Amino acid sequence: MISATAPDAWSMVSSLAKRDGSAGQPQLAALARDACDPRDVADAAHHLCFLHGRQPGVIEHAAAHSDFDFARDWLIEAAAGFAQERGHLVALAAAAGPMPSTPGQANTEAAIAAQRHAIDMLSQSERRGCALGAAIALVLDWPAIRTGLDAAAIRQGADPVPLTLPDSAATTDLVAMLAANRATERAMLFGMEQLLAQHRGLWDLMEARSEARAG
């Protein structure tokens, strides 16, 4: 478990998101390429919908389980912004077509169900700061995910919608306030680490499915 004091909390959190998030995942990078297999786009869009296309989702659950008054405005802004992201994601999945037939579908369904369960548990955790950590990780990781989704949308002739999630200044303030208490800081970091791990697992699964279809 990483730990930090409040003054350097944002540096640590942003580094964690960059290091362990979606930005470095090869399968996400593949979605942005002009030569990307359309089946890979459809696969990613549908599975992202399965994890994050529902409402309530991570941010709404975190809001319901948060008793931090200082987090209220951030959560309201994040929930409104991600509601728009859900619409964008659903539209992309519909435009991309049905989920592609892939060997090992039963194993995929079990894996993605386990990921969704893990995300649900994180975002509804009663451990103070954990659910907020998961929500922060989603907000920080989503712009990287949008790079691949936006490239796919442009290839389909759609104009990507602007991203309206909380900016870094608002998130920096929230992280600093959570990190002022060491127990809350540890819970926030745990929620972040685990949410990012589920995203990495998703991209690993998408890469394995792409290779199975190619083989």
Side-chain angles (χ1 to χ4, degrees):
M1 173 66 68
I2 305 168
S3 185
T5 55
D8 62 356
W10 171 248
S11 176
M12 176 273 300
V13 163
S14 59
S15 295
L16 174 65
K18 291 175 183 176
R19 186 189 70 230
D20 292 348
S22 297
Q25 298 303 304
Q27 191 61 23
L28 175 59
L31 298 184
R33 300 189 188 114
D34 288 341
C36 179
D37 188 332
R39 295 176 299 176
D40 290 349
V41 175
D43 213 26
H46 283 285
H47 283 93
L48 280 167
C49 278
F50 192 79
L51 293 185
H52 293 304
R54 301 162 300 144
Q55 192 170 10
V58 171
I59 296 167
E60 291 83 6
H61 285 312
H65 288 77
S66 171
D67 59 356
F68 299 104
D69 289 340
F70 57 75
R72 183 175 180 274
D73 289 345
W74 187 93
L75 285 164
I76 289 172
E77 183 180 0
F82 207 78
Q84 180 172 280
E85 291 304 302
R86 286 191 190 95
H88 177 58
L89 185 57
V90 170
L92 177 61
M99 188 184 301
S101 176
T102 307
Q105 184 63 35
N107 290 336
T108 294
E109 290 175 1
I112 202 73
Q115 288 183 332
R116 186 164 77 174
H117 177 70
I119 289 172
D120 285 345
M121 293 293 289
L122 284 170
S123 61
Q124 298 179 69
S125 173
E126 297 297 336
R127 182 181 176 189
R128 295 185 82 234
C130 180
L132 263 175
I136 290 168
L138 178 58
V139 166
L140 293 180
D141 203 36
W142 197 256
I145 294 174
R146 274 287 299 270
T147 61
L149 300 183
D150 286 352
I154 290 169
R155 289 196 301 271
Q156 293 170 352
D159 293 325
V161 296
L163 189 65
T164 59
L165 294 172
D167 61 21
S168 59
T171 307
T172 298
D173 290 344
L174 175 61
V175 166
M177 286 186 280
L178 288 169
N181 178 282
R182 293 303 295 274
T184 303
E185 177 200 47
R186 288 193 295 269
M188 172 187 68
L189 291 172
F190 178 81
M192 285 194 65
E193 290 167 346
Q194 294 303 308
L195 190 283
L196 294 173
Q198 297 309 318
H199 282 183
R200 293 196 307 275
L202 172 68
W203 297 118
D204 287 346
L205 179 62
M206 294 300 94
E207 184 174 10
R209 281 172 60 81
S210 179
E211 291 172 353
R213 288 189 296 270

